Every structure is written in C-alpha cells, then in structure tokens.
Amino acid sequence: MSKKEKLLQKLKSNPKDFTFDEMQTLLEAFGFQRYEKGKTSGSRVKFIKGNIPIILHKPHPRKELLSYQIKQIIEILEKESLL
C-alpha cells in the first residue's frame, strides 16, 4: 500500500490526529500545489489544482487539523470526484 493510499484511508476515517503535513502530502499527491502570499500570508495556506482551491489555516501551536477542516476537505475532494 502506497503512502498516498495509507493517508487516504486515514483521512476517510475522520481522525482527530491528522496533521497539516499529512494533509499537504496527500493534497500534493492529488496534484495540488501549495501557494502562500509571501511573508505576510500568516498561517493561511492555499492549495490549488486547476480551478479547485482549498484554503487552510495552518494550525499552531498544535500540528493536527481541526475536525471541521478535515470534513471540508473530504467534501471538496468528493465533490471533485477525487475520492
């Protein structure tokens, strides 16, 4: 099983310990590119694939995403037929 498949399985289980780095790895495996608006972007990070934007706030000081963020990403990926 590839790293992408393992992360995808973990994401689908709606975990409470899914980190921002894991999400970035998974989105990049789907072909998304990370964009930050220079040094002033703060914790806001955008991932774009074609015309599909996913905007996240990078969690700090914790590393785990909040449950609403995970649900939103699952909804977007399902809507775009990526899941």
Side-chain angles (χ1 to χ4, degrees):
M1 187 180 292
S2 71
K3 186 174 185 178
K4 176 184 174 183
E5 291 169 337
K6 288 179 184 177
L7 287 174
L8 193 53
Q9 261 187 340
K10 184 176 178 180
L11 177 69
K12 287 181 179 180
S13 71
N14 208 3
K16 299 204 182 297
D17 63 343
F18 205 82
T19 66
F20 179 84
D21 292 337
E22 289 174 323
M23 184 62 72
Q24 180 174 332
T25 301
L26 184 61
L27 291 175
E28 287 174 350
F30 277 120
F32 285 84
Q33 292 183 340
R34 180 178 171 165
Y35 288 97
E36 293 183 58
K37 206 174 181 184
K39 293 180 181 179
T40 61
S41 69
S43 63
R44 196 170 346 152
V45 180
K46 183 186 282 189
F47 294 92
I48 297 178
K49 178 182 180 181
N51 62 349
I52 308 168
I54 295 179
I55 300 170
L56 290 173
H57 284 272
K58 189 171 181 180
H60 53 83
R62 69 189 186 288
K63 294 180 181 184
E64 295 80 19
L65 295 171
L66 298 173
S67 62
Y68 83 89
Q69 293 173 306
I70 293 171
K71 287 177 186 175
Q72 285 178 342
I73 292 167
I74 290 172
E75 287 174 10
I76 292 169
L77 294 177
E78 285 176 345
K79 179 183 171 195
E80 299 299 330
S81 301
L82 296 172
L83 287 184

